[in-house]
Amino acid sequence: DAKTTQPPSMDCAEGRAANLPCNHSTISGNEYVYWYRQIHSQGPQYIIHGLKNNETNEMASLIITEDRKSSTLILPHATLRDTAVYYCIVAFSGGYQKVTFGIGTKLQVIP
Amino acid sequence: EAGVTQFPSHSVIEKGQTVTLRCDPISGHDNLYWYRRVMGKEIKFLLHFVKESKQDESGMPNNRFLAERTGGTYSTLKVQPAELEDSGVYFCASSPLLLTGTNEQFFGPGTRLTVL
């Protein structure tokens, strides 16, 4: 699996958009970008994934650059409950998928 | 629909003892994964089952760890004998067996293991 690079920590004011960047310059053509998060003391939680088009669901939006070498996870209106460690992962879709977690980005939402 | 459940939520044992962790995946999910986070480190993959068969054990640290999934439903992870470095949080995840699609993994809340 391709390696990802994320900033170790970020702050965001409550109610504002949180934009979490991820670099994945060695991503291969059929690898997807997945985002998970881990809220303190809970198991990781899937957020969203995409291949090359921008994606949106009830939790977040995912913006992938045209060259697919980087992406941004957007939480449109961050709340205190969004404080968590966010993991950007690249992996193949379907079948067996061993998730390789990195260090992730610790997002602190500030009141 | 019930999520992935793990038991116990917390276990404290002494070095040399045996502990068995249990994971109940979401009903119908053939893929079952074990991960663990040792204090201060990243979450690491341990192994993967498809139904009752072990597909990938590459992350198992040593032969003190034994995972089973008899009948392809729940899974157990036994540590025998436990060592201090086994302390951490053990996560279980499950996903349906799909050739294509999201293949997102659904994680349980974890079992916190403390070896004294």
Side-chain angles (χ1 to χ4, degrees):
Chain A
D1 292 341
K3 183 176 174 60
T4 63
T5 305
Q6 300 176 252
S9 64
M10 293 181 63
D11 290 339
C12 177
E14 186 178 17
R16 305 297 293 268
N19 297 283
L20 293 92
C22 179
N23 287 319
H24 32 78
S25 58
T26 60
I27 191 170
S28 66
N30 51 356
E31 284 184 306
Y32 285 68
V33 180
Y34 287 79
W35 283 83
Y36 283 78
R37 73 179 181 183
Q38 186 181 21
I39 296 171
H40 182 63
S41 298
Q42 297 181 21
Q45 176 190 26
Y46 164 85
I47 302 173
I48 198 168
H49 81 294
L51 182 62
K52 55 184 178 181
N53 297 322
N54 297 338
E55 301 289 343
T56 296
N57 63 20
E58 65 278 3
M59 291 182 67
S61 294
L62 174 60
I63 308 297
I64 303 173
T65 58
E66 192 168 343
D67 64 6
R68 302 211 323 123
K69 293 184 177 181
S70 65
S71 60
T72 301
L73 178 74
I74 301 172
L75 308 178
H77 305 286
T79 70
L80 299 179
R81 287 175 295 180
D82 291 322
T83 292
V85 179
Y86 288 77
Y87 298 97
C88 170
I89 296 155
V90 293
F92 298 101
S93 179
Y96 159 52
Q97 183 191 79
K98 177 172 72 175
V99 177
T100 301
F101 292 90
I103 297 173
T105 296
K106 167 70 173 165
L107 175 69
Q108 183 70 51
V109 180
I110 303 168
Chain B
E1 178 183 299
V4 177
T5 58
Q6 293 186 246
F7 182 83
S9 58
H10 196 171
S11 179
V12 181
I13 61 173
E14 294 189 350
K15 176 182 173 181
Q17 290 185 322
T18 298
V19 63
T20 300
L21 313 180
R22 172 172 171 143
C23 168
D24 285 80
I26 292 173
S27 178
H29 282 190
D30 290 329
N31 285 315
L32 188 148
Y33 307 81
W34 283 97
Y35 297 83
R36 77 169 178 178
R37 163 176 268 153
V38 174
M39 181 66 73
K41 300 289 183 63
E42 302 166 17
I43 299 173
K44 294 290 190 182
F45 167 84
L46 295 179
L47 87 158
H48 165 232
F49 284 98
V50 174
K51 299 184 180 180
E52 67 277 5
S53 300
K54 293 177 186 175
Q55 293 297 301
D56 184 348
E57 297 180 80
S58 61
M60 295 287 265
N62 51 61
N63 59 10
R64 294 185 294 103
F65 289 75
L66 175 64
E68 293 180 323
R69 193 183 182 195
T70 305
T73 54
Y74 71 91
S75 174
T76 58
L77 180 64
K78 182 192 293 187
V79 185
Q80 178 182 30
E83 298 289 345
L84 299 179
E85 63 264 25
D86 301 332
S87 295
V89 182
Y90 290 75
F91 294 104
C92 174
S94 72
S95 69
L97 189 62
L98 301 173
L99 294 179
T100 60
T102 303
N103 205 25
E104 66 178 279
Q105 293 184 21
F106 297 83
F107 283 79
T111 292
R112 180 174 295 278
L113 175 64
T114 303
V115 182
L116 303 176

